[in-house]
Amino acid sequence: SAVISQKPSRDICQRGTSLTIQCQVDSQVTMMFWYRQQPGQSLTLIATANQGSEATYESGFVIDKFPISRPNLTFSTLTVSNMSPEDSSIYLCSADKGGQEKLFFGSGTQLSVL
Amino acid sequence: SQQGEEDPQALSIQEGENATMNCSYKTSINNLQWYRQNSGRGLVHLILIRSNEREKHSGRLRVTLDTSKKSSSLLITASRAADTASYFCATEATGANSKLTFGKGITLSVRP
């Protein structure tokens, strides 16, 4: 299994500012993913965080808005840049240990933008 | 676009009853998974069924998969108040390499 620590757990931010969310896994993992979950809705994949290279973004998400880092096999960050109220959401990181075919999730970051 | 669509959207049952949740999807898949999310928390993996499997059990959970109908069901037997949560089906499309697409989720309430 894998235990994922995600922080902050929640934040209230002002419009136009940026927030960086950190995700630390207790063991090396192959794939890491960032999802967004709007209130009462499903999860939408933002991007795949690739170790040592640029993240792979899904349609509708761009690097300038959601820059992602993955410096090693246990850590990743997602930045929500130039925030607007529409960015208010829960952001979740997840990881795949390779060969297990299932995802482990962090506890999420609840972001409110005023 | 959303791959999985669950129904019902919300389900309320009495403790001890069985809960059945359904999921439909659109494309060919490697596997289908069910996750649970307690309010304000991350998702927890419950069970995975591969495309060449038809039924799987894990404790009080039973999942079925019908690839001809592109549908799955999750049965929770002898439900408990602690089963109250949102349940999501997620599919790994063929060639998706661990990328999952989640359905909209079902809110299950189990009354004590």
Side-chain angles (χ1 to χ4, degrees):
Chain A
S1 67
V3 176
I4 301 178
S5 300
Q6 184 175 340
K7 60 181 181 181
S9 58
R10 59 179 65 235
D11 207 341
I12 301 172
C13 300
Q14 294 297 319
R15 181 195 299 260
T17 62
S18 297
L19 175 72
T20 295
I21 302 167
Q22 298 182 1
C23 187
Q24 177 74 55
V25 191
D26 68 343
S27 57
Q28 292 186 349
V29 294
T30 50
M31 311 285 281
M32 292 185 76
F33 304 94
W34 287 95
Y35 285 87
R36 181 172 73 183
Q37 184 181 27
Q38 293 178 314
Q41 300 295 316
S42 183
L43 283 74
T44 300
L45 181 63
I46 298 171
T48 303
N50 301 309
Q51 193 268 326
S53 65
E54 196 170 280
T56 305
Y57 289 84
E58 297 299 305
S59 176
F61 298 96
V62 295
I63 188 170
D64 290 346
K65 176 67 175 177
F66 297 102
I68 287 171
S69 78
R70 189 169 174 204
N72 56 50
L73 292 175
T74 64
F75 186 77
S76 179
T77 67
L78 168 75
T79 299
V80 186
S81 302
N82 188 24
M83 288 184 284
S84 66
E86 291 71 34
D87 295 320
S88 297
S89 194
I90 298 172
Y91 292 85
L92 294 150
C93 76
S94 64
D96 168 11
K97 287 211 73 173
Q100 293 197 28
E101 297 178 289
K102 64 182 182 183
L103 293 184
F104 301 91
F105 280 84
S107 54
T109 297
Q110 185 160 349
L111 172 62
S112 298
V113 184
L114 305 178
Chain B
S1 62
Q2 292 295 339
Q3 170 74 305
E5 295 285 341
E6 295 99 332
D7 77 87
Q9 291 188 338
L11 182 61
S12 181
I13 59 174
Q14 199 73 35
E15 203 165 29
E17 294 180 338
N18 296 340
T20 299
M21 292 169 267
N22 303 301
C23 169
S24 60
Y25 59 92
K26 296 177 182 174
T27 64
S28 62
I29 60 172
N30 292 330
N31 62 68
L32 184 146
Q33 307 178 32
W34 286 89
Y35 288 80
R36 183 185 72 214
Q37 184 180 38
N38 289 90
S39 180
R41 306 299 299 271
L43 279 73
V44 175
H45 180 266
L46 294 176
I47 194 166
L48 176 152
I49 187 164
R50 294 186 177 84
S51 59
N52 62 352
E53 297 175 317
R54 293 296 166 258
E55 186 172 314
K56 224 170 167 181
H57 297 255
S58 176
R60 294 185 295 115
L61 304 179
R62 171 179 171 259
V63 64
T64 63
L65 179 65
D66 186 333
T67 53
S68 67
K69 295 180 180 177
K70 291 186 167 58
S71 67
S72 171
S73 67
L74 175 69
L75 170 68
I76 303 175
T77 60
S79 64
R80 305 166 182 168
D83 295 328
T84 295
S86 293
Y87 291 80
F88 294 88
C89 72
T91 51
E92 181 185 313
T94 303
N97 193 23
S98 300
K99 256 176 25 174
L100 297 183
T101 302
F102 286 81
K104 293 182 179 178
I106 298 169
T107 301
L108 173 66
S109 299
V110 182
R111 304 185 300 274

